């Protein structure tokens, strides 16, 4: 493995981690900077397509709407495997996400176990996410006791 390949893998891992860090902090406009302008983002829950957005403007509106409903996000990234071909790459990553929302005066904690399928593109020396599919595999919600 060349030094360039190692650097590219690190850059792509940092991209995935930045998505989690910025998302947890609700820095939606900065999250948009991690994507190409012509991005696509699909979300599947239990195998059913529940969201399909294209372009930064639509995605930012979608993410802002979601963030307004969530009191707290917490994301922990796991495995990340990539295949690199020049200025394009594909990747699979796994994450556990927790979201706290208030419902009828009660804080509800929802745990999500997610598999992401990504297509990356290097533009102007920077790796960006071009296409992302989130497969929300296991979802559990319960009242938060505190």
């Amino acid at each position: 493995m060349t030094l360039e390949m190692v650097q590219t893998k690190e850059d792509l891992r940092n991209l995935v981690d930045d998505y989690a860090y910025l998302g947890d902090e609700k820095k939606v406009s900065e999250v948009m900077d991690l994507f190409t302008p012509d991005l696509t983002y699909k979300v599947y829950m239990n195998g059913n397509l529940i969201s399909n957005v294209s372009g930064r403007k639509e995605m930012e509106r979608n993410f802002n709407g979601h963030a307004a409903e969530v009191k707290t996000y917490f994301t922990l990234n796991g495995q990340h495997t990539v295949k690199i071909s020049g200025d394009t790459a594909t990747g699979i990553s796994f994450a556990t996400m927790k979201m706290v929302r208030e419902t009828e005066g009660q804080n509800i904690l929802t745990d999500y176990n997610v598999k992401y399928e990504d297509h990356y593109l290097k533009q102007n020396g920077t790796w960006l996410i071009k296409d992302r599919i989130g497969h929300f595999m296991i979802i559990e919600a319960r009242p938060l006791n505190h």
Side-chain angles (χ1 to χ4, degrees):
M1 184 176 306
T2 66
L3 183 57
E4 182 180 356
M5 188 70 71
V6 171
Q7 182 63 55
T8 297
K9 285 185 174 195
E10 182 179 355
D11 291 347
L12 291 169
R13 177 58 193 233
N14 288 339
L15 176 62
V16 168
D17 287 346
D18 286 347
Y19 175 85
Y21 297 140
L22 294 168
D24 284 357
E25 295 173 8
K26 297 185 178 185
K27 294 181 176 177
V28 175
S29 64
E30 292 178 48
V31 170
M32 295 306 111
D33 293 338
L34 303 176
F35 289 86
T36 62
D38 62 341
L39 73 98
T40 62
Y41 188 84
K42 295 179 182 179
V43 174
Y44 290 87
M45 287 191 176
N46 299 318
N48 299 309
L49 180 64
I50 64 152
S51 180
N52 184 2
V53 297
S54 299
R56 281 186 183 171
K57 190 174 198 174
E58 183 180 352
M59 186 156 148
E60 187 166 8
R61 184 173 46 251
N62 183 285
F63 273 41
N64 276 322
H66 190 269
E69 298 175 6
V70 176
K71 291 174 75 173
T72 306
Y73 289 102
F74 180 86
T75 304
L76 181 63
N77 286 332
Q79 307 93 307
H80 183 235
T81 305
V82 295
K83 293 181 182 170
I84 303 159
S85 178
D87 286 347
T88 64
T90 57
I92 295 177
S93 61
F94 294 86
T96 298
M97 299 169 51
K98 295 179 182 293
M99 295 181 197
V100 177
R101 295 178 184 89
E102 187 174 324
T103 303
E104 297 177 3
Q106 171 95 32
N107 284 331
I108 304 297
L109 172 66
T110 307
D111 284 315
Y112 298 93
N113 295 282
V114 187
K115 173 185 173 185
Y116 290 110
E117 296 177 18
D118 294 329
H119 286 84
Y120 309 107
L121 184 61
K122 192 172 188 179
Q123 291 184 337
N124 301 317
T126 301
W127 284 99
L128 301 170
I129 303 168
K130 180 171 181 357
D131 303 303
R132 173 164 265 200
I133 300 173
H135 298 276
F136 287 66
M137 313 286 281
I138 300 170
I139 303 164
E140 179 187 10
R142 61 190 177 280
L144 185 61
N145 298 318
H146 71 63

